[in-house]
Amino acid sequence: MIDVNDIKNELKSAIDNVSSLVDLEQVRLEYLGKKGKITSFMQKLKDLSNEEKKEFGQEINIAKQHIEEQIKNKYDELYSKYLEAKLKSEYIDVSIPVKNTSNGHLHPCTKVYNEVRDIFVNMGYEVVKGPEIEYDEYNFEKLNIEKGHPARDEQDTFYINDKIVLRTQTSPVQARVMESGKLPIKMISPGRVFRSDAVDATHSPTFHQIEGLVVDKNITFADLKGTLTYFSKAFFGDKVETRFRPHHFPFTEPSAEMDVSCFKCGGKGCRFCKNEGWIEILGCGMVNPKVYELCGLDENLQGFAFGIGIERLALLKYEIDDMRLLYENDIRFLNQF
Ligand code: DAH
């Protein structure tokens, strides 16, 4: 009924023709599947006598084992070929040198800000942010700059309406922090400010400042000088000296402008410091008691404040002579820092 040799031969040529795992599965089904040859032989067994069953059954089992073995061998062979091809196609040479990619870097103004911030944070200052769109009340009124005050004209203001402006300075953050009433205060506040100025080498309608404010008891002008001198040496180098010239700001009394000795010529006078030996760095002063009152604090407190222009520091530190370069984002320029 069944010739094992016939099946073996037939199977051999079927398997020899197979070159993929999918085709091999077809062969397997053809012999061992539900409708396969071996299965159909098995089904015939039930019609046979016991004698024949025994003999025929044995034959079928031998044939079945043979088929399983052959298919398994072919499977192993094809599968290892498949793996080999897969490994080849996924091969990555980790020793190939990578392409040079450029990571970019921080803008000179960001670098300057980060440096200034770190100096003050290391002295225990907190960083506070305030809104760029600000109430006239905070930008001016609470800083003792009432309507009609000449200081308003100096800061050509972008008005959104009569109550709201684009802040012309970071000083309104002082008013906001004082008004919150938590003491002592020791903060810096960085940010963008706006003035309706035409663009030229030293002006821009938008630039950046860092505000500083300390309020506590027993704070003196000596604390202001000590702090800002420490800052100047940390930022420009140990050799620089500072000097404080009387000035006027409505929200500080007394007020001063601070110069540092020219870090290029050491104070002898050069092109960089326009032969002055000194370079103006920032405005500062003791918080005007009027401002405590306007912000709802006790007038008997003491404190100092200062305002630093970030662009100005960047121009000085990196010896850039035109502010516009900082905003044009010309990669050939920026790559130098
Ligand atoms: N807000 C001033 C300006 O924009 C700068 C300034 C001066 C800030 C003195 C201060 C200060 O806190 O005490 O011109």
Side-chain angles (χ1 to χ4, degrees):
M1 271 193 84
I2 169 171
D3 185 336
V4 175
N5 278 330
D6 274 358
I7 291 188
K8 280 185 181 172
N9 288 336
E10 195 191 316
L11 177 76
K12 186 171 180 328
S13 69
I15 283 185
D16 283 348
N17 281 330
V18 159
S19 59
S20 75
L21 288 168
V22 179
D23 292 345
L24 183 66
E25 176 63 4
Q26 280 311 314
V27 174
R28 193 187 67 81
L29 290 174
E30 204 180 299
Y31 286 87
L32 303 172
K34 262 192 202 150
K35 289 179 186 154
K37 287 185 180 152
I38 294 297
T39 321
S40 68
F41 283 136
M42 296 281 218
Q43 277 158 0
K44 285 187 188 136
L45 276 180
K46 61 180 187 307
D47 304 328
L48 303 177
S49 70
N50 280 348
E51 263 308 284
E52 287 169 321
K53 259 186 204 158
K54 199 174 161 201
E55 191 190 334
F56 188 52
Q58 256 171 10
E59 295 283 305
I60 297 175
N61 273 334
I62 292 170
K64 191 177 172 208
Q65 262 171 26
H66 174 78
I67 295 165
E68 281 173 348
E69 208 177 283
Q70 293 301 305
I71 289 183
K72 163 97 173 52
N73 288 347
K74 186 73 180 181
Y75 179 89
D76 289 349
E77 176 195 322
L78 288 174
Y79 191 68
S80 71
K81 271 192 193 150
Y82 158 79
L83 275 188
E84 212 173 288
K86 186 171 155 75
L87 275 180
K88 223 178 227 168
S89 75
E90 289 177 1
Y91 173 72
I92 295 171
D93 184 351
V94 290
S95 69
I96 291 176
V98 289
K99 262 198 221 149
N100 260 346
T101 53
S102 151
N103 282 330
H105 59 81
L106 297 178
H107 189 279
C109 284
T110 312
K111 282 191 180 171
V112 163
Y113 165 62
N114 288 349
E115 225 178 290
V116 175
R117 176 200 58 203
D118 290 350
I119 295 169
F120 282 102
V121 166
N122 286 339
M123 287 194 270
Y125 284 65
E126 188 188 346
V127 178
V128 180
K129 298 244 168 113
E132 291 176 354
I133 300 174
E134 184 55 285
Y135 290 108
D136 179 292
E137 198 187 343
Y138 287 93
N139 195 75
F140 293 123
E141 300 284 334
K142 286 179 193 272
L143 295 171
N144 197 30
I145 313 173
E146 68 273 300
K147 294 236 156 45
H149 194 291
R152 287 198 178 215
D153 301 335
E154 276 165 38
Q155 302 191 353
D156 292 316
T157 311
F158 287 116
Y159 281 89
I160 301 223
N161 58 36
D162 9 319
K163 292 206 177 97
I164 300 174
V165 300
L166 296 184
R167 67 175 178 189
T168 58
Q169 48 187 355
T170 43
S171 305
V173 186
Q174 286 191 32
R176 286 179 173 273
V177 171
M178 284 194 238
E179 209 181 51
S180 78
K182 267 187 248 132
L183 292 168
I185 297 167
K186 205 172 165 191
M187 68 91 174
I188 55 167
S189 184
R192 192 150 57 142
V193 301
F194 307 84
R195 292 185 195 177
S196 150
D197 276 328
V199 177
D200 66 23
T202 52
H203 291 89
S204 159
T206 161
F207 56 102
H208 300 79
Q209 291 185 332
I210 302 174
E211 194 73 16
L213 176 67
V214 173
V215 178
D216 202 350
K217 288 185 185 127
N218 303 320
I219 302 284
T220 68
F221 202 90
D223 294 313
L224 177 158
K225 285 177 80 175
T227 303
L228 295 177
T229 302
Y230 172 83
F231 157 73
S232 303
K233 288 178 184 291
F235 187 80
F236 290 109
D238 261 352
K239 290 205 180 73
V240 303
E241 307 280 333
T242 51
R243 75 173 184 190
F244 294 79
R245 280 178 290 102
H247 200 77
H248 174 264
F249 298 105
F251 36 89
T252 45
E253 183 56 39
S255 304
E257 275 185 337
M258 184 188 81
D259 300 337
V260 294
S261 56
C262 179
F263 41 84
K264 277 232 90 173
C265 65
K268 287 198 278 304
C270 67
R271 220 170 56 94
F272 195 68
C273 57
K274 301 192 183 78
N275 268 324
E276 303 248 348
W278 295 94
I279 300 170
E280 182 207 318
I281 296 297
L282 53 81
C284 56
M286 300 306 289
V287 178
N288 190 332
K290 194 78 199 292
V291 173
Y292 295 133
E293 191 193 322
L294 288 164
C295 296
L297 287 184
D298 178 355
E299 282 173 57
N300 295 315
L301 288 161
Q302 293 90 40
F304 64 82
F306 54 90
I308 308 175
I310 296 184
E311 279 79 356
R312 186 166 167 71
L313 285 191
L315 295 180
L316 290 171
K317 179 140 193 161
Y318 297 114
E319 298 178 29
I320 303 165
D321 56 13
D322 191 326
M323 192 172 178
R324 286 168 287 200
L325 289 165
L326 293 174
Y327 303 121
E328 281 164 358
N329 288 334
D330 184 330
I331 293 289
R332 291 166 301 180
F333 167 77
L334 291 176
N335 272 342
Q336 299 171 48
F337 304 97

